[in-house]
Amino acid sequence: EGKPTSYLDLRPEPIPYEENAAPVLKALFAWVAANATEQQFPEAFKMESSGVAFVDWTPEQKGEMQKLLAALGPAWTLLEEANAKPGCQFDLDYSDFNSVLLPEVAGFQRVSKPLWHRARMSSETPEGMPDALQAVADCLKLSGHLDSRTLV
């Protein structure tokens, strides 16, 4: 009768499961967390976090990053599946609104960094440009899943 006064009253309608990228993204984030760790690829992660510009990487360092990117093959398949979904809505517990945890945000970050490296490394040759453009498009689509409905 009156205007909505609580966050739960303002929550949008749920996205149908078959249109929701969130379950696929959860699987993607879990896969990457288990299969692309700093322990498995220490040199690649050291380069990623060091702030050293990509252009200053040695051929050995680029080779290490290529190993990481190749190992992420199954992740790219999951990402493609998630990006084909028109919506994204994670189920979060808002019973204590001031203490809502958003673990999915870390997953978005964990996946977007290797996508950036894939785009940079693929763009080094004319033959790699289609993959570089695909990586950029995948990153844009991934970020598109972080709209107002995603985390509500």
Side-chain angles (χ1 to χ4, degrees), residues 119-133:
R120 290 294 309 264
M121 294 190 76
S122 295
S123 69
E124 286 195 309
T125 64
E127 307 81 48
M129 286 307 292
D131 186 59
L133 293 172

Coordinates of all heavy atoms in Angstrom, one line a residue, residues 119-133:
A119 N 44.7 -10.8 -23.3 CA 44.5 -9.8 -24.3 C 45.9 -9.2 -24.7 O 46.2 -9.0 -25.9 CB 43.6 -8.7 -23.9
R120 N 46.7 -8.8 -23.7 CA 48.0 -8.2 -23.9 C 48.9 -9.2 -24.7 O 49.6 -8.8 -25.6 CB 48.6 -7.8 -22.6 CG 48.0 -6.6 -21.9 CD 48.1 -5.3 -22.7 NE 49.4 -5.0 -23.1 CZ 50.3 -4.2 -22.4 NH1 49.9 -3.6 -21.3 NH2 51.5 -4.0 -22.9
M121 N 49.0 -10.4 -24.2 CA 49.9 -11.4 -24.8 C 49.5 -11.7 -26.2 O 50.3 -11.9 -27.1 CB 50.1 -12.6 -24.0 CG 50.8 -12.2 -22.7 SD 51.3 -13.6 -21.7 CE 52.7 -14.1 -22.6
S122 N 48.2 -11.9 -26.4 CA 47.7 -12.3 -27.8 C 47.8 -11.2 -28.8 O 48.0 -11.4 -30.0 CB 46.2 -12.7 -27.7 OG 46.0 -13.8 -26.9
S123 N 47.8 -9.9 -28.3 CA 47.9 -8.8 -29.2 C 49.3 -8.6 -29.8 O 49.5 -7.7 -30.6 CB 47.4 -7.5 -28.5 OG 48.3 -7.1 -27.5
E124 N 50.3 -9.4 -29.3 CA 51.7 -9.2 -29.8 C 51.9 -9.6 -31.2 O 52.9 -9.1 -31.8 CB 52.6 -10.0 -28.9 CG 52.8 -9.4 -27.5 CD 54.1 -9.9 -26.8 OE1 54.2 -11.2 -26.8 OE2 54.9 -9.1 -26.4
T125 N 51.0 -10.4 -31.8 CA 51.1 -10.8 -33.2 C 49.8 -10.6 -33.9 O 48.8 -10.6 -33.3 CB 51.5 -12.3 -33.3 OG1 50.4 -13.1 -32.7 CG2 52.8 -12.6 -32.5
P126 N 49.9 -10.4 -35.2 CA 48.7 -10.2 -36.0 C 47.8 -11.5 -35.9 O 46.5 -11.3 -35.8 CB 49.1 -10.1 -37.4 CG 50.5 -9.5 -37.3 CD 51.1 -10.2 -36.0
E127 N 48.4 -12.7 -35.8 CA 47.5 -13.9 -35.7 C 46.8 -14.0 -34.3 O 45.8 -14.6 -34.2 CB 48.4 -15.1 -35.8 CG 49.3 -15.2 -37.0 CD 50.6 -14.4 -36.9 OE1 51.3 -14.5 -35.8 OE2 50.9 -13.7 -37.8
G128 N 47.4 -13.3 -33.3 CA 46.7 -13.4 -32.0 C 45.7 -12.3 -31.8 O 45.0 -12.4 -30.8
M129 N 45.5 -11.4 -32.7 CA 44.5 -10.3 -32.5 C 43.1 -10.8 -32.3 O 42.4 -10.2 -31.5 CB 44.6 -9.3 -33.7 CG 45.9 -8.4 -33.6 SD 46.1 -7.6 -32.0 CE 44.7 -6.5 -32.0
P130 N 42.6 -11.8 -33.1 CA 41.2 -12.2 -32.8 C 41.1 -12.7 -31.3 O 40.1 -12.4 -30.7 CB 41.0 -13.4 -33.8 CG 41.9 -13.1 -34.9 CD 43.2 -12.5 -34.2
D131 N 42.1 -13.4 -30.8 CA 41.9 -13.9 -29.4 C 42.1 -12.7 -28.4 O 41.4 -12.6 -27.4 CB 43.0 -14.9 -29.1 CG 42.8 -15.5 -27.7 OD1 41.8 -16.0 -27.4 OD2 43.8 -15.3 -26.8
A132 N 42.9 -11.7 -28.8 CA 43.0 -10.5 -27.9 C 41.7 -9.8 -27.9 O 41.2 -9.4 -26.8 CB 44.1 -9.6 -28.5
L133 N 41.1 -9.6 -29.0 CA 39.8 -8.9 -29.1 C 38.7 -9.7 -28.3 O 37.8 -9.2 -27.6 CB 39.3 -8.7 -30.5 CG 40.2 -7.7 -31.3 CD1 39.8 -7.6 -32.7 CD2 40.1 -6.3 -30.6

